[in-house]
Amino acid sequence: LATGPRQNNGIFYEIRTYDVKPWKMKEFVDIINKYIHLRTAHSELVGFWSAELGAMNKVVHIWKYDNFDHRTAVRRALASDKEWQGKLINSILPFVEKQDNEVAYLVPWCQLGKPPKEGGIYEWVTFQMKPGGPALWGEAFRAATNAHINTGYTKLIGVFHTEYGLLNRVHVIWWNESPDHRAAGRHRAHEDARVVAAVRESVRFLESQQNVLLIPLQCSPLK
């Protein structure tokens, strides 16, 4: 069961996660950086990252679509794009061990943000919430997220909840200047009574959580 606020428009985000063969990771990244323009000619890339901590030999990329008809048209165009197939997709597929994709919406109270400068790191936090959707846990989750924002040590990039894939899942993307800056900020947050109270309320609806530190690829719009 998953219920929540009605979407204001048809815009959604496809989140793709690839597990790459360890000995092919560098070659995979080099090909993506060189030829990703063949893919972005068809639709908007939000970000492309490789995992540094919390997972290994994994990449995450997010694509934006106006609606499902838009995605269908893009996939149809890609199927007839021989240059994209030859130089990009056919080159990287032998390096990929596993693919996963989800369709997600931005939560209504979040705008997709940008980092204040280039050169930082991204933290991708996945929350598996109890069945019921944002109608059940949305307000508590929002309060916990805002409590972290109010500490000032981190920058919120986006909060997504799934529509296809494993339901009642929320992906939160944070930006920090460095892993040490993030660690120091988390330490302060854990001593902040407002954060502790908000998180305590939110975790009543939490089933599991995973944190992954991501490094943006050279080609990533979010750097």
Side-chain angles (χ1 to χ4, degrees):
L1 301 177
T3 57
R6 182 186 298 274
Q7 300 300 320
N8 295 325
N9 52 51
I11 293 174
F12 68 86
Y13 299 83
E14 184 174 3
I15 300 170
R16 286 182 165 252
T17 305
Y18 297 169
D19 290 346
V20 181
K21 294 176 181 178
W23 60 94
K24 289 295 187 179
M25 189 66 181
K26 183 181 183 304
E27 191 173 351
F28 177 95
V29 169
D30 288 344
I31 293 172
I32 292 294
N33 281 327
K34 185 175 182 179
Y35 292 117
I36 194 65
H37 66 278
L38 300 175
R39 176 61 182 81
T40 56
H42 292 277
S43 64
E44 181 181 347
L45 174 66
V46 174
F48 208 126
W49 303 268
S50 62
E52 180 72 12
L53 296 172
M56 296 185 69
N57 304 301
K58 187 184 294 288
V59 296
V60 181
H61 42 124
I62 303 177
W63 299 88
K64 181 180 179 181
Y65 294 100
D66 296 335
N67 48 50
F68 288 98
D69 283 343
H70 179 211
R71 183 184 184 277
T72 298
V74 168
R75 302 306 297 180
R76 185 180 297 119
L78 288 170
S80 60
D81 187 332
K82 302 304 181 184
E83 189 176 20
W84 170 76
Q85 293 176 28
K87 292 182 177 179
L88 181 57
I89 196 67
N90 290 343
S91 298
I92 65 170
L93 278 182
F95 306 158
V96 177
E97 293 188 315
K98 180 183 176 183
Q99 292 177 296
D100 184 51
N101 77 325
E102 298 172 295
V103 167
Y105 294 102
L106 278 172
V107 297
W109 46 268
C110 173
Q111 299 291 323
L112 190 61
K114 293 183 177 181
K117 60 181 180 180
E118 294 185 3
I121 55 98
Y122 291 79
E123 184 178 9
W124 183 285
V125 188
T126 298
F127 300 90
Q128 186 60 47
M129 308 301 290
K130 293 183 182 299
L136 174 67
W137 41 257
E139 288 305 313
F141 192 92
R142 180 179 184 178
T145 302
N146 285 335
H148 282 89
I149 294 172
N150 293 338
T151 63
Y153 81 89
T154 188
K155 165 71 175 176
L156 179 65
I157 301 299
V159 181
F160 304 85
H161 67 95
T162 54
E163 181 73 10
Y164 287 100
L166 190 58
L167 294 184
N168 297 290
R169 175 177 285 183
V170 183
H171 300 290
V172 183
I173 307 176
W174 300 95
W175 179 91
N176 286 279
E177 292 184 10
S178 69
D180 285 328
H181 181 264
R182 183 262 184 196
R186 290 283 289 181
H187 184 75
R188 293 195 305 272
H190 290 164
E191 295 178 342
D192 189 316
R194 296 167 298 178
V195 175
V196 172
V199 169
R200 184 179 291 121
E201 175 64 19
S202 179
V203 297
R204 295 193 301 112
F205 306 104
L206 180 65
E207 293 190 338
S208 67
Q209 175 181 339
Q210 182 182 23
N211 293 34
V212 180
L213 187 147
L214 299 175
I215 304 297
L217 269 61
Q218 179 184 342
C219 66
S220 179
L222 285 174
K223 287 187 172 64

